[in-house]
Amino acid sequence: MPHADPSTIEAAIKLGDSARATLGLLPRAVYHDAASKGCLLVARHTDSDEVIGYALFRLPRDEVVLTHLCVENEHRHSGVARALVDEVSRRHERRQGIRAKCRDDYPGITATWSKLGFEPRAKTKGRGKDAAAMTVWWRDHGHPDLFTLPMDEPAVVRVAIDTNILLDLQVRSEKVNAERSQVLEVDDLVDRIEIIVPPGLEHDLDDKDDDQRKRLLEAAAQYVRPRGSRDRAARFFEIVEAVVAEHLPGYRRTHQDLADLWQLAETAAAGIKVFLTWDEQLKNAVAPLLRSLPDVPELSQLRVLDPDHLLIHLDELAHAAAYRPDTLKGSAFETGLAGSSSEPTLMRFLDHRGGETRAKLKATLRELARCRREQLIVTAPDGEPVACYALMAVGSVLQVPLLRLADHPIAPTLGRQLLWHLREQARTRGCSVVDLADPYLPVHLQSIARHEHYQHVEDHWYAVVVDRIDTAAEVSAAATHAYQHVGLGNAPLIPVGADAALAHHYERVWWPAKITDSALPHFAVAIKPTWSAELIGMPAPLHRRTELAFGREQVYFRSGRNSTLSAPGRILWYMSSGHRTGPASFIGTSVLDGITTGTPEELFAAYGHYGVFTLANIEDAARDGIAQALQLSDTELFPNPVLRKSYDQLQRKYGGPRAVQAPVKVSAELFTAIYRLGQRTALDVHVS
């Protein structure tokens, strides 16, 4: 259920918590993260509709890893677990199989897994405190096995912990503040890391009394204690101390501070690449200095993180490609996931004017990391960060708890593009509402949000996303359903046969809604690949002009004679065939907001920066010295372009023009058929 409603997720969490004695602790954020990725499957009672079981899983490599399989006590032995596992197999049948790891000391556990179609594949030990005996169970999907699948995931990374985290885990675990470190012991993480206590701990013991020393050493004995070269550790300490003294003259020189530097040096000397600490100075002041030491890779590659950001680091390692920056809309700007060490960059978006403090923003970023919200950073061509945002699909709502925009010449245009991008993300994730919930949303972004038809209610800005092409009544009903998700009451009821202006308004407010029984006209317009690449991004160019890539409006120039076009209306773009682009096809649609007729000189002066034609191009297109400027917005590119042969089949069924050279009018029925075919992806997966 990638778009489960919050109440369903909460019901699964409650059920999981009731079985904590056997399933172990799993953070709430893991349930929400799994639901957003389609990795939380629930079973409901046929009469009461209550959640009576769930399967929570991950999808690493080419297999399914079952994290939780939970059924309410009174419904066990009634086929619920089997139904859940069978459904997981059905949805992921192309993967090699399902792997699960379970303790051996649960009564009847062998028979249970066998009945579910699993076979024992390996014996192992848990990485919890009791190192319990466990079995790796495997349910095969029957694919040819060219290689032996690893039956137990290796530790993704060895992580060294500082003394305070050691105390949280072993000595003062009952303290309220210790919970912050106990994320390292949850089931979703414990199998992916190996906790190390570095030799540098001894430097922390020098100023402790005998009782404290004894307790710390006993706690450290629960973990691996690697020993690197003492000479190498001493050399690394000298390097770290020197670079800190040079660049951080205000750095404290207490015994504890030096002990911290020793722990970093000892960790690097032992070949460990992650050091976990809550110490702000180590993370945000010392760690960046270490990264500036390329001649000492053991230090420059050492990641100094807090436990909240460790999950992000593991995701970085497992999904490196996802963290690689990508161009934004084909422009020279880049966007990429914020990594485990991106907090200093994100802190640059502190809202001083709105009264936000460093402590408040830091707490927000920690919570986002802990809850595994996607955090993204947009950077300008010169590498300067210009925007950041965080999002997560929760039920039918795309939550955006962080959205910031730096002062930059391109800020107004980029802001509009980001708000549009959030609508696209909501649509992609099956959400019907975008909820901008950042309490420090910059004032200039609030102004842009108002212009982009976001609705301001208390501390939230909402945009409704109605992914329907249907009658006015159906579109209005879908909008009302979306409104009710966030307590906004009923949406306006669009009248049947609404005039073009009214339909145009609501299709913009509820994008990507399309009202099929309105008076809004539809046209097919031919465009050459040379112009469509730069103007609307199809075929995808290497780079587009920033104004066109981010602009919500574009202008296309054509002859001003014998035009059937009228505005407002909808345009279907028919890209002609090309040597590199292949056969002709319908590639997308835009809203036609207006039409201006005039001389090439007049049109170029007024609209040239919105289009790709030069003055000479417009003059070539003009007839008798007159041309037209088509004012366009809200362009959607089809994920599945509709080829000419497919159009011919639709044309025979619905009627319409056989050729698309000059602009031609098409019926609402033909437009709807082309649009639906174009929006169909190669693989439609519906998860309920």
Side-chain angles (χ1 to χ4, degrees):
M1 50 176 210
H3 317 302
D5 61 276
S7 62
T8 300
I9 301 174
E10 289 300 320
I13 293 172
K14 183 178 180 181
L15 183 56
D17 285 347
S18 70
R20 184 178 295 184
T22 52
L23 292 178
L25 174 69
L26 200 61
R28 299 169 58 85
V30 174
Y31 288 88
H32 285 283
D33 185 55
S36 71
K37 295 175 179 175
C39 294
L40 177 62
L41 181 67
V42 302
R44 297 179 181 275
H45 194 282
T46 53
D47 296 328
S48 64
D49 203 40
E50 66 174 317
V51 173
I52 59 174
Y54 71 86
L56 188 149
F57 49 94
R58 294 188 289 116
L59 300 171
R61 296 190 298 268
D62 193 29
E63 62 184 22
V64 180
V65 175
L66 195 58
T67 304
H68 271 193
L69 180 62
C70 183
V71 178
E72 197 175 49
N73 281 334
E74 63 182 89
H75 294 287
R76 291 180 181 173
H77 309 297
S78 60
V80 175
R82 180 69 190 225
L84 286 167
V85 171
D86 286 349
E87 184 63 13
V88 172
S89 278
R90 185 187 69 79
R91 297 182 183 194
H92 300 285
E93 61 184 358
R94 295 186 180 182
R95 292 176 177 261
Q96 293 289 337
I98 305 176
R99 178 163 58 85
K101 188 164 70 172
C102 186
R103 292 171 65 110
D104 292 343
D105 55 3
Y106 297 145
I109 195 64
T110 298
T112 297
W113 286 112
S114 297
K115 288 177 182 177
L116 294 175
F118 288 80
E119 297 178 352
R121 283 291 185 93
K123 290 290 185 180
T124 185
K125 289 185 178 181
R127 295 197 176 117
K129 295 178 182 178
D130 59 357
M134 307 185 81
T135 297
V136 178
W137 296 89
W138 178 255
R139 173 167 160 149
D140 196 71
H141 286 166
H143 300 300
D145 223 354
L146 299 179
F147 303 97
T148 302
L149 286 171
M151 283 297 106
D152 195 17
E153 285 185 282
V156 175
V157 66
R158 302 169 83 204
V159 299
I161 59 174
D162 75 353
T163 304
N164 280 315
I165 294 177
L166 175 64
L167 290 169
D168 286 347
L169 296 180
Q170 295 291 338
V171 177
R172 57 189 184 205
S173 57
E174 301 304 317
K175 300 282 187 180
V176 174
N177 286 343
E179 292 182 357
R180 62 181 186 172
S181 301
Q182 289 164 5
V183 65
L184 299 174
E185 296 182 329
V186 302
D187 290 346
D188 191 51
L189 188 58
V190 72
D191 284 341
R192 303 169 68 187
I193 63 172
E194 183 179 12
I195 296 177
I196 306 295
V197 176
L201 171 71
E202 277 70 23
H203 295 277
D204 250 353
L205 301 179
D206 294 343
D207 64 344
K208 303 290 191 294
D209 59 38
D210 289 344
D211 182 57
Q212 290 175 317
R213 289 172 59 88
K214 180 181 178 182
R215 284 191 298 160
L216 278 170
L217 288 172
E218 288 177 350
Q222 305 299 313
Y223 303 99
V224 174
R225 303 291 315 278
R227 289 287 172 184
S229 163
R230 289 185 178 276
D231 291 342
R232 178 190 282 187
R235 180 168 65 88
F236 288 167
F237 174 76
E238 290 177 2
I239 294 171
V240 174
E241 188 180 30
V243 75
V244 167
E246 178 183 355
H247 296 282
L248 299 175
Y251 189 78
R252 302 187 307 272
R253 306 284 294 174
T254 66
H255 174 273
Q256 181 61 58
D257 299 324
L258 294 177
D260 289 341
L261 299 186
W262 267 111
Q263 290 220 47
L264 294 177
E266 295 274 12
T267 298
I272 299 166
K273 295 185 177 181
V274 176
F275 181 78
L276 298 181
T277 181
W278 292 107
D279 189 292
E280 295 291 331
Q281 199 166 219
L282 282 183
K283 291 188 302 152
N284 299 327
V286 177
L289 296 178
L290 300 185
R291 291 196 289 272
S292 68
L293 300 170
D295 294 338
V296 191
E298 296 90 342
L299 290 173
S300 63
Q301 295 173 13
L302 179 64
R303 308 298 293 273
V304 183
L305 312 170
D306 57 55
D308 285 342
H309 285 84
L310 177 61
L311 282 169
I312 295 178
H313 179 61
L314 296 179
D315 287 344
E316 286 176 317
L317 295 175
H319 309 289
Y323 284 82
R324 198 170 298 134
D326 196 7
T327 60
L328 181 60
K329 296 292 182 181
S331 70
F333 285 69
E334 291 187 334
T335 183
L337 287 170
S340 53
S341 58
S342 296
E343 187 174 286
T345 299
L346 294 168
M347 288 297 296
R348 297 168 68 174
F349 292 94
L350 179 71
D351 181 24
H352 295 286
R353 299 174 193 169
E356 185 179 37
T357 64
R358 289 185 62 82
K360 285 182 179 178
L361 179 54
K362 192 179 292 290
T364 297
L365 297 177
R366 295 282 170 76
E367 180 63 20
L368 294 175
R370 189 178 303 118
C371 296
R372 301 174 81 173
R373 260 63 169 176
E374 289 180 43
Q375 300 177 63
L376 296 103
I377 299 174
V378 180
T379 55
D382 60 3
E384 187 71 14
V386 293
C388 68
Y389 59 99
L391 48 82
M392 182 177 185
V394 179
S396 295
V397 179
L398 183 71
Q399 294 181 348
V400 186
L402 178 74
L403 178 60
R404 303 295 168 89
L405 187 63
D407 290 329
H408 190 275
I410 200 69
T413 304
L414 177 59
R416 291 191 69 196
Q417 178 57 235
L418 287 177
L419 293 181
W420 173 262
H421 175 68
L422 292 173
R423 285 180 178 268
E424 292 178 317
Q425 287 295 304
R427 180 191 198 183
T428 299
R429 298 166 190 238
C431 297
S432 56
V433 179
V434 177
D435 176 8
L436 302 185
D438 187 341
Y440 296 97
L441 190 70
V443 174
H444 56 307
L445 260 177
Q446 294 183 34
S447 177
I448 296 170
R450 191 174 290 109
H451 183 269
E452 289 297 312
H453 304 290
Y454 279 69
Q455 187 172 347
H456 191 203
V457 181
E458 296 179 347
D459 294 329
H460 297 253
W461 289 83
Y462 298 112
V464 172
V465 179
V466 180
D467 194 7
R468 295 287 293 270
I469 178 167
D470 218 321
T471 64
E474 291 296 333
V475 169
S476 294
T480 290
H481 189 62
Y483 274 44
Q484 291 173 347
H485 281 306
V486 287
L488 295 181
N490 293 333
L493 179 61
I494 305 170
V496 176
D499 63 42
L502 187 64
H504 175 257
H505 170 75
Y506 279 110
E507 289 190 4
R508 171 156 288 175
V509 173
W510 295 338
W511 182 93
K514 304 287 184 295
I515 303 166
T516 57
D517 56 355
S518 74
L520 202 65
H522 310 80
F523 307 95
V525 175
I527 187 170
K528 294 179 179 179
T530 303
W531 307 128
S532 65
E534 179 70 7
L535 186 69
I536 60 178
M538 180 69 179
L542 290 176
H543 285 295
R544 294 171 68 193
R545 270 188 8 234
T546 300
E547 314 89 79
L548 288 176
F550 289 170
R552 289 285 308 288
E553 293 87 16
Q554 295 89 27
V555 169
Y556 183 58
F557 299 96
R558 63 169 304 276
S559 163
R561 299 297 184 191
N562 302 322
S563 176
T564 63
L565 297 170
S566 62
R570 297 196 197 99
I571 283 181
L572 277 168
W573 292 109
Y574 181 71
M575 186 176 73
S576 56
S577 61
H579 176 67
R580 291 180 13 179
T581 57
S585 61
F586 288 90
I587 59 171
T589 179
S590 298
V591 175
L592 177 59
D593 296 310
I595 304 170
T596 302
T597 301
T599 67
E601 292 79 6
E602 292 170 339
L603 297 182
F604 184 73
Y607 300 109
H609 52 290
Y610 291 104
V612 296
F613 275 27
T614 65
L615 176 58
N617 295 142
I618 303 175
E619 289 172 339
D620 287 342
R623 288 271 189 93
D624 301 325
I626 299 296
Q628 280 186 339
L630 309 185
Q631 297 154 42
L632 313 162
S633 64
D634 294 0
T635 297
E636 295 175 61
L637 294 177
F638 293 152
N640 181 41
V642 179
L643 296 176
R644 176 70 204 210
K645 62 181 181 180
S646 298
Y647 171 75
D648 288 341
Q649 294 176 350
L650 296 176
Q651 188 266 341
R652 286 194 291 271
K653 180 176 181 180
Y654 297 102
R658 293 188 178 182
V660 182
Q661 293 175 345
V664 290
K665 195 166 186 177
V666 298
S667 67
E669 292 77 15
L670 181 57
F671 174 89
T672 300
I674 295 172
Y675 182 85
R676 285 179 172 157
L677 187 59
Q679 287 295 342
R680 185 184 303 166
T681 55
L683 178 62
D684 283 324
V685 180
H686 302 281
V687 186
S688 58

